Coordinates of all heavy atoms in Angstrom, one line a residue:
I1 N 17.2 109.8 138.6 CA 18.5 109.8 138.0 C 18.9 111.2 137.5 O 18.1 112.0 137.4 CB 18.6 108.9 136.9 CG1 17.5 109.2 135.8 CG2 18.3 107.3 137.3 CD1 17.7 108.3 134.5
N2 N 20.1 111.4 137.2 CA 20.6 112.6 136.7 C 20.2 112.5 135.3 O 20.3 111.5 134.5 CB 22.2 112.7 136.6 CG 22.7 112.8 138.1 OD1 22.1 113.6 138.8 ND2 23.7 112.1 138.6
K3 N 19.8 113.6 134.7 CA 19.4 113.6 133.3 C 20.4 113.3 132.3 O 20.3 112.8 131.1 CB 18.8 115.0 132.9 CG 17.4 115.4 133.6 CD 16.9 116.7 133.3 CE 15.6 117.0 133.9 NZ 15.1 118.3 133.5
S4 N 21.7 113.6 132.8 CA 22.9 113.2 132.0 C 23.0 111.8 131.9 O 23.8 111.3 131.0 CB 24.1 113.9 132.6 OG 24.4 113.4 133.8
E5 N 22.3 111.0 132.6 CA 22.5 109.5 132.6 C 21.5 108.8 131.6 O 21.6 107.6 131.4 CB 22.3 109.0 134.0 CG 23.4 109.4 134.9 CD 23.1 109.0 136.3 OE1 21.9 109.0 136.7 OE2 24.1 108.7 137.1
I6 N 20.6 109.5 131.0 CA 19.6 108.8 130.1 C 20.4 108.7 128.8 O 21.3 109.5 128.5 CB 18.3 109.7 130.0 CG1 18.5 111.0 129.1 CG2 17.7 110.1 131.3 CD1 17.2 111.6 128.6
P7 N 19.9 107.9 128.0 CA 20.6 107.7 126.7 C 20.7 109.0 125.9 O 19.7 109.8 125.8 CB 19.8 106.6 126.1 CG 19.1 105.9 127.1 CD 18.9 106.9 128.0
Q8 N 22.0 109.3 125.3 CA 22.2 110.4 124.7 C 21.2 110.8 123.5 O 20.9 111.9 123.2 CB 23.6 110.5 124.1 CG 24.1 111.9 123.6 CD 23.9 113.0 124.5 OE1 24.2 112.8 125.7 NE2 23.5 114.0 124.1
K9 N 20.7 109.7 122.8 CA 19.9 110.0 121.7 C 18.6 110.5 122.0 O 17.9 111.2 121.2 CB 19.7 108.6 120.9 CG 18.9 107.6 121.7 CD 18.6 106.3 120.7 CE 17.9 105.2 121.5 NZ 17.8 104.1 120.6
Y10 N 18.2 110.5 123.3 CA 16.9 111.2 123.6 C 17.3 112.6 124.1 O 16.6 113.5 123.9 CB 16.3 110.3 124.8 CG 15.8 109.1 124.3 CD1 16.5 107.8 124.9 CD2 14.9 108.8 123.4 CE1 16.3 106.7 124.4 CE2 14.6 107.6 123.0 CZ 15.1 106.5 123.6 OH 14.9 105.2 123.1
L11 N 18.4 112.7 124.9 CA 18.9 114.1 125.2 C 19.0 114.9 124.0 O 18.7 116.3 124.0 CB 20.1 114.0 126.1 CG 20.0 113.7 127.5 CD1 21.3 113.6 128.2 CD2 19.0 114.8 128.2
G12 N 19.5 114.3 123.0 CA 19.7 115.1 121.7 C 18.5 115.7 121.1 O 18.5 116.6 120.2
K13 N 17.3 115.2 121.5 CA 16.0 115.7 120.7 C 15.4 116.8 121.8 O 14.5 117.4 121.4 CB 15.1 114.5 120.8 CG 15.4 113.4 120.0 CD 14.3 112.2 119.9 CE 14.8 111.1 119.0 NZ 13.8 110.0 119.0
C14 N 16.2 117.2 122.7 CA 15.7 118.3 123.6 C 16.1 119.6 123.0 O 17.2 119.8 122.6 CB 16.4 118.1 125.0 SG 15.9 116.7 125.9
P15 N 15.2 120.6 122.9 CA 15.6 121.9 122.4 C 16.5 122.7 123.4 O 16.4 122.3 124.6 CB 14.1 122.6 122.3 CG 13.3 121.9 123.2 CD 13.7 120.5 123.3
E16 N 17.2 123.5 122.9 CA 18.1 124.3 123.8 C 17.3 125.2 124.8 O 17.8 125.5 125.9 CB 19.1 125.1 122.9 CG 20.0 124.3 122.1 CD 21.1 125.1 121.4 OE1 21.1 126.4 121.6 OE2 21.8 124.6 120.7
V17 N 16.2 125.7 124.4 CA 15.3 126.6 125.0 C 14.0 125.9 125.3 O 13.5 125.3 124.4 CB 15.2 127.9 124.4 CG1 14.3 128.8 125.3 CG2 16.5 128.6 124.1
G18 N 13.4 126.0 126.5 CA 12.2 125.5 126.8 C 12.2 124.0 127.3 O 13.3 123.5 127.7
G19 N 11.0 123.3 127.5 CA 11.0 122.0 128.2 C 11.4 121.0 127.2 O 11.6 121.0 125.9
C20 N 11.6 119.7 127.8 CA 12.0 118.6 126.9 C 11.0 117.4 127.3 O 10.9 117.1 128.5 CB 13.3 118.3 127.1 SG 13.9 116.8 126.3
Y21 N 10.4 116.9 126.3 CA 9.5 115.8 126.5 C 10.1 114.6 127.2 O 9.5 113.9 128.1 CB 8.9 115.4 125.1 CG 7.9 114.2 125.2 CD1 6.7 114.1 125.7 CD2 8.4 112.9 124.7 CE1 6.0 113.1 125.7 CE2 7.7 111.8 124.8 CZ 6.4 111.8 125.3 OH 5.5 110.7 125.3
W22 N 11.4 114.3 126.7 CA 12.1 113.2 127.4 C 12.4 113.3 128.8 O 12.8 112.2 129.5 CB 13.3 112.9 126.4 CG 13.0 112.8 125.0 CD1 13.2 113.7 124.0 CD2 12.3 111.7 124.4 NE1 12.8 113.2 122.9 CE2 12.2 112.0 123.1 CE3 12.0 110.5 124.9 CZ2 11.7 111.2 122.1 CZ3 11.4 109.6 123.9 CH2 11.2 110.0 122.5
T23 N 12.6 114.5 129.4 CA 13.1 114.7 130.6 C 12.2 115.5 131.6 O 12.5 115.7 132.7 CB 14.5 115.4 130.5 OG1 14.3 116.7 130.0 CG2 15.5 114.6 129.7
A24 N 11.1 116.0 131.1 CA 10.2 116.9 131.9 C 9.5 116.1 133.0 O 8.9 115.1 132.8 CB 9.2 117.4 130.9
N25 N 9.7 116.5 134.2 CA 9.0 115.9 135.3 C 7.6 116.4 135.5 O 7.3 117.5 136.2 CB 9.8 116.2 136.6 CG 11.1 115.4 136.6 OD1 11.1 114.1 136.5 ND2 12.2 116.1 136.8
T26 N 6.6 115.8 134.8 CA 5.2 116.3 134.9 C 4.6 116.2 136.2 O 4.9 115.3 137.0 CB 4.3 115.4 133.9 OG1 5.0 115.4 132.7 CG2 2.9 115.9 133.8
F27 N 4.0 117.2 136.7 CA 3.4 117.4 138.1 C 4.6 117.2 139.0 O 4.4 116.9 140.2 CB 2.4 116.3 138.4 CG 1.2 116.4 137.5 CD1 0.7 115.3 136.6 CD2 0.4 117.5 137.7 CE1 -0.4 115.6 136.0 CE2 -0.7 117.6 137.0 CZ -1.1 116.7 136.1
G28 N 5.8 117.6 138.6 CA 7.0 117.5 139.5 C 7.3 116.1 139.9 O 8.1 115.9 140.8
K29 N 6.8 115.0 139.2 CA 7.0 113.6 139.7 C 7.9 112.8 138.6 O 8.9 112.1 139.2 CB 5.6 112.9 139.8 CG 4.7 113.5 140.8 CD 5.2 113.3 142.2 CE 4.2 113.8 143.2 NZ 4.6 113.6 144.6
A30 N 7.6 112.9 137.4 CA 8.3 112.0 136.4 C 8.0 112.4 134.9 O 7.0 113.1 134.6 CB 7.8 110.5 136.6
A31 N 8.9 111.9 134.0 CA 8.5 111.9 132.6 C 7.7 110.8 132.2 O 8.1 109.7 132.5 CB 9.9 112.0 131.9
F32 N 6.6 110.9 131.6 CA 5.7 109.8 131.4 C 5.7 109.5 129.9 O 5.8 110.3 129.1 CB 4.2 110.3 131.8 CG 4.0 110.3 133.2 CD1 4.2 111.7 133.8 CD2 3.7 109.4 134.1 CE1 4.0 111.8 135.2 CE2 3.5 109.5 135.4 CZ 3.6 110.7 136.0
F33 N 5.6 108.1 129.7 CA 5.6 107.6 128.4 C 4.5 106.6 128.3 O 4.7 105.3 128.4 CB 7.0 106.9 128.1 CG 8.2 107.8 128.2 CD1 8.9 107.8 129.3 CD2 8.4 108.7 127.2 CE1 10.0 108.7 129.4 CE2 9.5 109.6 127.3 CZ 10.3 109.6 128.4
P34 N 3.2 107.0 128.1 CA 2.0 106.0 128.2 C 1.8 105.4 126.9 O 2.3 105.9 125.8 CB 0.8 107.1 128.4 CG 1.3 108.5 127.8 CD 2.8 108.4 128.0
A35 N 1.4 104.2 126.9 CA 1.1 103.5 125.7 C 0.2 104.1 124.6 O 0.3 104.1 123.5 CB 0.6 102.1 126.0
I36 N -0.8 105.0 125.2 CA -1.7 105.7 124.4 C -1.0 106.6 123.4 O -1.4 106.9 122.2 CB -2.7 106.4 125.2 CG1 -3.8 107.0 124.3 CG2 -2.1 107.6 125.9 CD1 -5.0 107.7 125.1
D37 N 0.2 107.1 123.7 CA 1.0 108.0 122.8 C 1.8 107.0 121.9 O 2.5 107.6 121.1 CB 1.9 108.9 123.6 CG 1.1 110.0 124.3 OD1 0.0 110.2 123.9 OD2 1.6 110.7 125.1
R38 N 1.9 105.8 122.2 CA 2.6 104.8 121.2 C 4.0 105.1 121.2 O 4.4 105.2 120.0 CB 1.8 104.8 120.0 CG 0.3 104.3 120.1 CD -0.4 104.0 118.8 NE -1.7 103.5 119.2 CZ -2.8 103.5 118.2 NH1 -2.5 103.6 117.0 NH2 -4.0 103.1 118.7

């Protein structure tokens, strides 16, 4: 999806410079939200 389509409250947590946990495509594949990170 377009990053602009994810809920705004998560985009708002992204820093202006650098990566963003909510949208970073780890290994070029996806943003991961594992249960281990709760």
